[in-house]
Each structure stands twice: as structure tokens, then as C-alpha cells.
Amino acid sequence: MLKKRIIVCLDVKDGRTTKGVKFQNNIDIGDPVEMAAEYYRQGVDELVFYDIIASTRGRGPILELISRVAERVFIPFCVGGGIGSLEDIRSTILAGAEKISLNSQAVKNPELIREGARVFGNQCIVLGMDAKKDDSAPSGYRVYINGGRVKTELDALEWAKKAVSLGAGEIVLNSMDADGMKTGYEIDLTRMIAENVSVPVIASGGGGKSEHLARVLSEGKADAALVASMVHSGEYTVGRIKSELAQSHIPVRL
């Protein structure tokens, strides 16, 4: 049976790790390079870095930070934020990232998914999607961009399917309603996307305790769970999460 992955997410703003609730009231919580090294020591499977203001400010990826992280951790890590061209993808991979997350830029220019997958391979291209409940959308969820600030016309399920058809090799699915709340992942949303695409789906938004991860990895059919608040706060280590998941019969790398 395929092991389920635990992924720690670091939201980066002006070179520092930051954390908010539902994309609001972000506070500085530390140095992303040191934090990445600590989570690597704790046994995390992968890391994700999002530059949460790059798209809004219209600038490219944070290459210097990426190369400093690559010197300290020897697991796959993904970088998102401000990646708007093939050249941005190339420079981010050359700086040390294994995967690229396209979110706002993919919505604005879907061909970037196709071109990125063609040149660098599907396994490098991750669709980042921020979805929020919306009864007017066919699936009940709508896509937002620019760090959750801008509502789009895209239905979450339709966009997930389209992105995969263009070449996205993985989807990080963030529930905006659950983001930072630590009350559990959005199971219905995660299951709906996971059952309708042929690529791994990573659940994001709402992780507060190990039971939340166990639920989304089993009932929600997610291939991986992204955590932030629960480890940044020091309440949990990656090792504790994995050991509790193993006790719940969730297959993880110990």
C-alpha cells in the first residue's frame, strides 16, 4: 500500500515565515530556512514554501531563499508564489526546488501548466488551488486567487480536471473556509476532487490534531496532508503526528 505523506507548509512573506487564519492577520513566526531544517530533522516527507505576496506584488520567486533551503534539507520541496513563466520555473528548479506550485498564475495563463509539464515533466508541476464554499458554483466550491483576495469564475472541480488534463501532476487543495482554523480538513471537498482526478491530491487547511489527518487521508481519500499551525505552534512534532497516524492504521513512513 502506498504510504501517505505528511507535508509541512511554510508561508513566506518578506523572507520570514508567517501564519494567519483564513488568509488574514498574518504574524511573523520565524526564519524559514531554520524551520525547514528542523522539520527535516523531525522526519517530514516533503516541504512546501509559498511566497504569499509575490503574485500581488508582481515579482518572481525567492531564489536566494530556495537555494539556502536546498543546502539544508534532502527531501522534495515545492515552491509557489510569483512563478509566471517557463524561465521562472527553470530558475526555481535550478535553485534547488523539486516541484513548482502554480496557483494564481495558472488561472491567468493555463498554458503555463501545459508548457511547464512538457519541458520539466508532470511530476514537477503542482496545481495550487484555494477553494471556498459557494452555492452558485456547480460543485459547490469556487476558486479564488491572489492569496484568496480575488474571486474567479472557475468552479473548483472543473478547474481541477482541466489542470490535470493540461499536465498538472499533483494538486494541493486548500479549503479557505478551514484555513488556519485547526478544526479539521474539508472532507467533502477533498473527497470530491480526489475521486475525480487521476493525480495525487494533497489536503490543506484545517489540520489541528492527528485525528483530522487520519480522517482526511482515509475518508477524504487524500494522498497527503499539509500541516502548518499544528507544528508551527509546537503542539505537535512531525514524529508525533506520524506515530499517532500509524496507531490509527494509516500507512506512513516512520
Side-chain angles (χ1 to χ4, degrees):
M1 185 184 273
L2 274 179
K3 304 277 195 213
K4 303 286 190 178
R5 289 170 289 150
I6 307 304
I7 302 172
V8 169
C9 173
L10 297 116
D11 287 336
V12 179
K13 179 182 178 185
D14 299 324
R16 300 284 293 174
T17 308
T18 180
K19 191 72 195 93
V21 175
K22 294 189 177 182
F23 294 72
Q24 304 288 320
N25 306 320
N26 286 71
I27 54 166
D28 183 322
I29 57 169
D31 172 34
V33 179
E34 291 304 325
M35 291 174 75
E38 173 56 27
Y39 294 130
Y40 172 63
R41 279 193 293 275
Q42 289 182 17
V44 76
D45 297 307
E46 295 183 24
L47 292 163
V48 174
F49 293 83
Y50 290 129
D51 186 329
I52 61 170
I53 52 173
S55 287
T56 310
R57 290 189 179 168
R59 62 167 169 72
I62 33 177
L63 300 176
E64 184 260 345
L65 175 67
I66 297 163
S67 57
R68 282 168 55 216
V69 170
E71 288 167 7
R72 301 284 296 275
V73 307
F74 303 95
I75 50 174
F77 74 94
C78 176
V79 173
I83 297 170
S85 66
L86 279 184
E87 196 41 58
D88 287 340
I89 296 175
R90 182 176 285 108
S91 58
T92 303
I93 290 171
L94 288 174
E98 275 80 10
K99 300 177 185 181
I100 303 304
S101 175
L102 300 173
N103 188 323
S104 305
Q105 300 298 336
V107 170
K108 293 167 188 173
N109 175 21
E111 278 303 305
L112 186 58
I113 300 174
R114 193 196 306 275
E115 285 298 293
R118 181 181 64 78
V119 176
F120 302 102
N122 303 61
Q123 78 288 346
C124 280
I125 306 300
V126 179
L127 177 75
M129 177 165 42
D130 295 315
K132 192 173 186 179
K133 278 186 183 144
D134 184 337
D135 292 338
S136 68
S139 70
Y141 294 89
R142 188 169 297 285
V143 175
Y144 280 67
I145 59 170
N146 287 17
R149 295 177 194 85
V150 178
K151 180 178 179 177
T152 73
E153 292 302 306
L154 293 172
D155 175 73
L157 180 56
E158 286 169 14
W159 175 230
K161 288 178 174 175
K162 180 175 180 188
V164 171
S165 75
L166 289 169
E170 196 165 68
I171 296 174
V172 173
L173 174 63
N174 185 48
S175 161
M176 290 178 62
D177 301 293
D179 184 79
M181 299 296 287
K182 295 164 73 173
T183 50
Y185 297 87
E186 184 119 22
I187 303 291
D188 294 341
L189 169 65
T190 309
R191 187 193 302 114
M192 174 180 69
I193 303 292
E195 286 180 341
N196 283 283
V197 296
S198 55
V199 301
V201 172
I202 299 163
S204 170
K209 44 192 187 183
S210 300
E211 301 93 279
H212 296 155
L213 281 83
R215 244 196 108 197
V216 83
L217 292 168
S218 53
E219 292 172 47
K221 305 203 173 169
D223 297 87
L226 202 98
V227 294
S229 306
M230 64 189 286
V231 289
H232 296 339
S233 65
E235 286 173 75
Y236 280 84
T237 61
V238 174
R240 179 182 162 194
I241 292 170
K242 285 189 168 189
S243 126
E244 291 181 3
L245 286 174
Q247 286 164 20
S248 301
H249 310 293
I250 305 287
V252 288
R253 288 188 193 88
L254 292 169

Coordinates of all heavy atoms in Angstrom, one line a residue, residues 109-171:
N109 N -3.0 32.1 -16.8 CA -2.4 31.6 -18.0 C -2.3 30.1 -18.0 O -1.2 29.5 -17.7 CB -1.0 32.2 -18.2 CG -0.3 31.6 -19.4 OD1 -0.9 31.1 -20.3 ND2 1.0 31.8 -19.4
P110 N -3.4 29.4 -18.2 CA -3.4 27.9 -18.1 C -2.4 27.2 -19.0 O -1.9 26.1 -18.6 CB -4.9 27.5 -18.5 CG -5.7 28.8 -18.3 CD -4.8 29.9 -18.6
E111 N -2.0 27.9 -20.1 CA -1.0 27.2 -20.9 C 0.4 27.0 -20.2 O 1.2 26.2 -20.6 CB -0.7 28.1 -22.2 CG -1.8 27.9 -23.3 CD -1.9 26.4 -23.7 OE1 -0.8 25.8 -24.1 OE2 -3.0 25.8 -23.6
L112 N 0.6 27.8 -19.1 CA 1.8 27.7 -18.3 C 1.9 26.2 -17.7 O 3.0 25.7 -17.6 CB 1.9 28.7 -17.2 CG 3.1 28.8 -16.4 CD1 4.4 29.0 -17.3 CD2 3.0 29.9 -15.4
I113 N 0.7 25.7 -17.4 CA 0.7 24.3 -16.9 C 1.2 23.3 -18.0 O 2.1 22.5 -17.8 CB -0.7 23.9 -16.4 CG1 -1.2 24.8 -15.3 CG2 -0.7 22.4 -16.0 CD1 -2.6 24.5 -14.9
R114 N 0.6 23.5 -19.2 CA 1.0 22.6 -20.3 C 2.5 22.7 -20.7 O 3.2 21.7 -20.8 CB 0.1 22.9 -21.5 CG 0.2 21.9 -22.6 CD -0.3 22.4 -23.9 NE -1.7 22.9 -23.9 CZ -2.8 22.2 -24.0 NH1 -2.7 20.9 -24.1 NH2 -4.0 22.8 -24.0
E115 N 2.9 24.0 -20.8 CA 4.3 24.2 -21.2 C 5.3 23.7 -20.1 O 6.3 23.1 -20.4 CB 4.5 25.7 -21.4 CG 3.9 26.2 -22.7 CD 4.6 25.5 -23.9 OE1 5.8 25.7 -24.2 OE2 3.9 24.7 -24.6
G116 N 4.9 24.0 -18.8 CA 5.8 23.5 -17.7 C 5.9 22.0 -17.7 O 7.0 21.5 -17.5
A117 N 4.8 21.3 -17.9 CA 4.8 19.9 -17.8 C 5.5 19.3 -19.0 O 6.3 18.3 -18.9 CB 3.3 19.3 -17.9
R118 N 5.4 20.0 -20.2 CA 6.1 19.5 -21.4 C 7.6 19.6 -21.2 O 8.4 18.7 -21.5 CB 5.7 20.3 -22.6 CG 6.3 19.9 -23.9 CD 5.8 20.8 -25.1 NE 6.2 22.2 -24.9 CZ 7.4 22.7 -25.2 NH1 8.4 21.8 -25.6 NH2 7.7 23.9 -25.1
V119 N 8.1 20.7 -20.7 CA 9.5 21.0 -20.6 C 10.1 20.3 -19.4 O 11.2 19.7 -19.5 CB 9.8 22.5 -20.5 CG1 11.3 22.8 -20.3 CG2 9.3 23.2 -21.8
F120 N 9.5 20.3 -18.2 CA 10.1 19.8 -17.0 C 9.5 18.5 -16.5 O 10.0 17.9 -15.5 CB 10.0 20.9 -15.9 CG 10.6 22.1 -16.3 CD1 9.9 23.2 -16.7 CD2 12.0 22.3 -16.3 CE1 10.5 24.4 -17.2 CE2 12.6 23.5 -16.7 CZ 11.9 24.5 -17.1
G121 N 8.3 18.0 -17.1 CA 7.7 16.8 -16.6 C 6.5 17.1 -15.7 O 6.6 18.0 -14.9
N122 N 5.5 16.2 -15.8 CA 4.3 16.4 -15.0 C 4.6 16.4 -13.5 O 3.9 17.1 -12.7 CB 3.3 15.3 -15.2 CG 2.9 15.2 -16.7 OD1 3.7 15.0 -17.5 ND2 1.6 15.4 -17.0
Q123 N 5.6 15.6 -13.1 CA 5.9 15.4 -11.6 C 6.4 16.7 -11.0 O 6.3 16.9 -9.8 CB 6.9 14.3 -11.4 CG 8.4 14.7 -11.7 CD 8.7 14.8 -13.2 OE1 7.9 14.4 -14.0 NE2 9.8 15.4 -13.5
C124 N 6.8 17.7 -11.9 CA 7.3 19.0 -11.3 C 6.2 20.0 -11.2 O 6.4 21.0 -10.5 CB 8.3 19.6 -12.3 SG 10.0 18.9 -12.2
I125 N 5.1 19.8 -11.8 CA 4.1 20.8 -11.9 C 2.9 20.5 -10.9 O 2.2 19.5 -11.2 CB 3.5 21.0 -13.3 CG1 4.7 21.3 -14.3 CG2 2.5 22.2 -13.4 CD1 5.5 22.5 -14.0
V126 N 2.7 21.3 -9.9 CA 1.7 21.1 -8.9 C 0.7 22.3 -9.1 O 1.1 23.4 -9.2 CB 2.3 21.2 -7.5 CG1 1.2 21.0 -6.4 CG2 3.4 20.1 -7.3
L127 N -0.6 21.9 -9.1 CA -1.6 22.9 -9.1 C -1.9 23.3 -7.7 O -2.3 22.4 -6.9 CB -2.9 22.5 -9.8 CG -4.0 23.5 -9.7 CD1 -3.8 24.6 -10.7 CD2 -5.4 22.9 -10.0
G128 N -1.8 24.6 -7.3 CA -2.2 25.0 -6.0 C -3.6 25.6 -6.2 O -3.8 26.4 -7.1
M129 N -4.6 25.2 -5.4 CA -5.9 25.7 -5.6 C -6.5 26.1 -4.2 O -6.5 25.4 -3.3 CB -6.8 24.6 -6.2 CG -8.2 25.1 -6.3 SD -9.3 24.1 -7.4 CE -8.9 22.5 -7.1
D130 N -7.0 27.4 -4.2 CA -7.7 27.9 -3.0 C -9.2 27.9 -3.3 O -9.6 28.6 -4.2 CB -7.2 29.3 -2.7 CG -5.8 29.3 -2.2 OD1 -5.4 28.5 -1.4 OD2 -5.0 30.2 -2.7
A131 N -9.9 27.0 -2.6 CA -11.4 26.9 -2.9 C -12.2 27.3 -1.7 O -11.8 27.0 -0.6 CB -11.6 25.4 -3.3
K132 N -13.4 27.9 -2.0 CA -14.2 28.3 -0.9 C -15.7 27.9 -1.3 O -16.1 27.9 -2.4 CB -14.2 29.9 -0.9 CG -14.8 30.5 0.3 CD -14.5 32.0 0.3 CE -15.0 32.7 1.6 NZ -14.6 34.1 1.6
K133 N -16.4 27.6 -0.2 CA -17.8 27.2 -0.5 C -18.6 28.3 -1.2 O -18.5 29.5 -0.8 CB -18.5 26.9 0.9 CG -18.3 25.6 1.5 CD -19.1 25.3 2.7 CE -18.8 24.0 3.3 NZ -18.8 23.9 4.7
D134 N -19.4 27.9 -2.2 CA -20.1 28.9 -3.0 C -21.3 28.1 -3.7 O -21.0 27.3 -4.6 CB -19.2 29.6 -4.0 CG -20.0 30.7 -4.8 OD1 -21.2 30.6 -4.9 OD2 -19.3 31.6 -5.3
D135 N -22.5 28.3 -3.2 CA -23.6 27.5 -3.7 C -23.9 27.8 -5.2 O -24.6 27.1 -5.9 CB -24.9 27.8 -2.9 CG -24.8 27.2 -1.5 OD1 -24.0 26.3 -1.3 OD2 -25.5 27.7 -0.6
S136 N -23.4 29.0 -5.7 CA -23.6 29.3 -7.1 C -22.7 28.6 -8.1 O -22.9 28.6 -9.3 CB -23.5 30.8 -7.3 OG -22.2 31.2 -7.1
A137 N -21.7 27.9 -7.5 CA -20.7 27.1 -8.4 C -21.3 25.7 -8.5 O -21.9 25.2 -7.6 CB -19.4 27.1 -7.7
P138 N -21.2 25.1 -9.7 CA -21.7 23.8 -10.0 C -21.4 22.7 -8.9 O -22.2 21.9 -8.5 CB -21.2 23.4 -11.3 CG -20.9 24.7 -12.0 CD -20.5 25.7 -10.9
S139 N -20.1 22.7 -8.4 CA -19.7 21.7 -7.5 C -19.9 22.2 -6.0 O -19.7 21.4 -5.1 CB -18.2 21.5 -7.6 OG -17.4 22.6 -7.2
G140 N -20.3 23.5 -5.9 CA -20.5 24.0 -4.5 C -19.3 24.7 -4.0 O -19.3 25.2 -2.9
Y141 N -18.2 24.8 -4.8 CA -16.9 25.4 -4.4 C -16.4 26.3 -5.5 O -16.3 25.8 -6.7 CB -15.9 24.4 -4.0 CG -16.3 23.6 -2.7 CD1 -17.0 22.4 -2.8 CD2 -15.9 24.1 -1.5 CE1 -17.4 21.7 -1.7 CE2 -16.3 23.4 -0.3 CZ -17.0 22.2 -0.5 OH -17.4 21.5 0.7
R142 N -15.9 27.4 -5.2 CA -15.3 28.4 -6.2 C -13.9 28.6 -5.9 O -13.4 28.5 -4.8 CB -16.1 29.7 -6.1 CG -15.7 30.7 -7.2 CD -16.7 31.9 -7.3 NE -18.0 31.5 -7.6 CZ -18.5 31.2 -8.8 NH1 -17.7 31.1 -9.8 NH2 -19.8 30.9 -9.0
V143 N -13.1 28.9 -7.0 CA -11.7 29.1 -6.9 C -11.4 30.6 -6.7 O -12.0 31.4 -7.3 CB -11.0 28.6 -8.2 CG1 -9.5 29.0 -8.2 CG2 -11.2 27.1 -8.4
Y144 N -10.5 30.9 -5.8 CA -10.0 32.2 -5.5 C -8.5 32.3 -5.8 O -7.8 31.3 -5.7 CB -10.2 32.6 -4.0 CG -11.6 33.0 -3.7 CD1 -12.7 32.1 -3.8 CD2 -12.0 34.3 -3.4 CE1 -14.0 32.4 -3.5 CE2 -13.3 34.7 -3.1 CZ -14.3 33.7 -3.2 OH -15.6 34.1 -2.9
I145 N -8.0 33.5 -6.2 CA -6.6 33.7 -6.5 C -6.1 34.9 -5.7 O -6.8 35.5 -4.9 CB -6.3 33.8 -8.0 CG1 -7.1 35.0 -8.6 CG2 -6.7 32.6 -8.7 CD1 -6.7 35.4 -10.0
N146 N -4.8 35.2 -6.0 CA -4.1 36.3 -5.3 C -4.2 36.2 -3.8 O -4.6 37.1 -3.1 CB -4.6 37.6 -5.8 CG -4.1 37.9 -7.2 OD1 -3.6 37.0 -7.9 ND2 -4.1 39.2 -7.7
G147 N -3.8 35.0 -3.2 CA -3.8 34.9 -1.8 C -5.2 34.9 -1.2 O -5.4 35.4 -0.1
G148 N -6.2 34.4 -2.0 CA -7.6 34.4 -1.5 C -8.3 35.7 -1.6 O -9.4 35.9 -1.2
R149 N -7.7 36.7 -2.2 CA -8.3 38.1 -2.3 C -9.3 38.2 -3.5 O -10.1 39.1 -3.4 CB -7.2 39.1 -2.4 CG -6.3 39.3 -1.2 CD -5.2 40.3 -1.4 NE -4.2 40.2 -0.4 CZ -3.1 39.4 -0.5 NH1 -3.0 38.6 -1.6 NH2 -2.2 39.4 0.4
V150 N -9.1 37.4 -4.5 CA -9.8 37.7 -5.8 C -10.7 36.4 -6.1 O -10.1 35.3 -6.3 CB -8.9 38.0 -6.9 CG1 -9.6 38.2 -8.2 CG2 -8.1 39.3 -6.6
K151 N -12.0 36.6 -6.3 CA -12.9 35.6 -6.6 C -12.8 35.4 -8.1 O -12.8 36.4 -8.9 CB -14.3 36.0 -6.2 CG -15.4 35.1 -6.5 CD -16.7 35.6 -6.0 CE -17.9 34.8 -6.2 NZ -19.1 35.3 -5.7
T152 N -12.8 34.1 -8.6 CA -12.8 33.9 -10.1 C -14.2 33.3 -10.5 O -15.0 33.0 -9.7 CB -11.7 32.9 -10.4 OG1 -12.1 31.6 -10.0 CG2 -10.4 33.2 -9.8
E153 N -14.3 33.1 -11.8 CA -15.5 32.4 -12.3 C -15.3 30.9 -12.4 O -16.2 30.2 -12.8 CB -15.7 32.9 -13.8 CG -16.1 34.4 -13.9 CD -17.4 34.7 -13.1 OE1 -18.4 34.0 -13.3 OE2 -17.4 35.6 -12.2
L154 N -14.2 30.4 -11.9 CA -13.9 29.0 -12.0 C -14.6 28.2 -10.9 O -14.5 28.5 -9.7 CB -12.4 28.8 -12.0 CG -11.6 29.3 -13.1 CD1 -10.1 29.2 -12.8 CD2 -11.9 28.6 -14.4
D155 N -15.2 27.1 -11.3 CA -15.7 26.0 -10.4 C -14.5 25.2 -10.0 O -13.7 24.8 -10.8 CB -16.7 25.2 -11.1 CG -17.2 24.1 -10.2 OD1 -17.9 24.3 -9.2 OD2 -16.8 22.9 -10.5
A156 N -14.4 24.8 -8.7 CA -13.2 24.1 -8.2 C -13.0 22.7 -8.9 O -11.9 22.4 -9.3 CB -13.4 23.9 -6.7
L157 N -14.1 22.0 -9.1 CA -14.0 20.6 -9.7 C -13.6 20.7 -11.1 O -12.7 20.0 -11.6 CB -15.3 19.8 -9.5 CG -15.3 18.4 -10.1 CD1 -14.1 17.6 -9.5 CD2 -16.6 17.7 -9.8
E158 N -14.3 21.7 -11.9 CA -14.0 21.8 -13.3 C -12.5 22.3 -13.5 O -11.8 21.8 -14.4 CB -14.9 22.9 -13.9 CG -16.3 22.3 -14.1 CD -17.3 23.4 -14.5 OE1 -16.9 24.5 -14.8 OE2 -18.5 23.2 -14.4
W159 N -12.0 23.2 -12.6 CA -10.7 23.7 -12.7 C -9.7 22.6 -12.4 O -8.7 22.4 -13.1 CB -10.5 24.9 -11.9 CG -9.1 25.4 -11.8 CD1 -8.4 25.7 -10.7 CD2 -8.2 25.8 -12.9 NE1 -7.1 26.2 -11.0 CE2 -7.0 26.3 -12.4 CE3 -8.4 25.7 -14.3 CZ2 -6.0 26.7 -13.2 CZ3 -7.3 26.1 -15.1 CH2 -6.1 26.6 -14.5
A160 N -10.0 21.8 -11.4 CA -9.0 20.6 -11.1 C -8.9 19.7 -12.3 O -7.8 19.3 -12.6 CB -9.6 19.9 -9.9
K161 N -10.0 19.3 -12.9 CA -10.0 18.4 -14.0 C -9.2 19.0 -15.2 O -8.4 18.4 -15.9 CB -11.4 18.1 -14.5 CG -12.2 17.2 -13.5 CD -13.6 17.0 -14.1 CE -14.4 16.0 -13.3 NZ -15.8 16.0 -13.9
K162 N -9.5 20.3 -15.4 CA -8.8 21.0 -16.6 C -7.3 21.0 -16.3 O -6.5 20.8 -17.2 CB -9.4 22.4 -16.8 CG -8.7 23.1 -17.9 CD -9.3 24.4 -18.3 CE -8.5 25.0 -19.5 NZ -8.9 26.4 -19.8
A163 N -6.9 21.4 -15.1 CA -5.5 21.5 -14.8 C -4.8 20.2 -15.0 O -3.6 20.1 -15.5 CB -5.3 22.0 -13.4
V164 N -5.4 19.1 -14.6 CA -4.8 17.7 -14.8 C -4.7 17.4 -16.3 O -3.7 16.8 -16.7 CB -5.6 16.7 -14.0 CG1 -5.2 15.3 -14.3 CG2 -5.5 16.9 -12.5
S165 N -5.8 17.8 -17.0 CA -5.7 17.5 -18.5 C -4.6 18.3 -19.2 O -4.1 17.8 -20.2 CB -7.1 17.8 -19.1 OG -7.3 19.2 -19.2
L166 N -4.3 19.4 -18.6 CA -3.2 20.2 -19.1 C -1.8 19.7 -18.7 O -0.8 20.1 -19.4 CB -3.3 21.7 -18.7 CG -4.5 22.5 -19.3 CD1 -4.7 23.8 -18.5 CD2 -4.2 22.8 -20.8
G167 N -1.7 18.9 -17.7 CA -0.5 18.3 -17.3 C 0.0 18.4 -15.8 O 1.1 18.0 -15.5
A168 N -0.9 19.0 -15.0 CA -0.5 19.1 -13.6 C -0.4 17.7 -13.0 O -1.3 16.8 -13.2 CB -1.6 19.9 -12.8
G169 N 0.7 17.4 -12.3 CA 0.9 16.1 -11.8 C 0.5 15.9 -10.3 O 0.6 14.7 -9.8
E170 N -0.1 16.9 -9.7 CA -0.5 16.8 -8.3 C -1.3 18.1 -8.0 O -1.1 19.1 -8.7 CB 0.8 16.8 -7.5 CG 0.6 16.4 -6.0 CD 2.0 16.1 -5.4 OE1 2.8 17.0 -5.2 OE2 2.3 14.9 -5.1
I171 N -2.2 18.0 -7.0 CA -3.0 19.1 -6.6 C -2.9 19.4 -5.1 O -3.1 18.4 -4.4 CB -4.5 19.0 -7.0 CG1 -4.7 18.9 -8.5 CG2 -5.3 20.1 -6.4 CD1 -6.1 18.5 -9.0

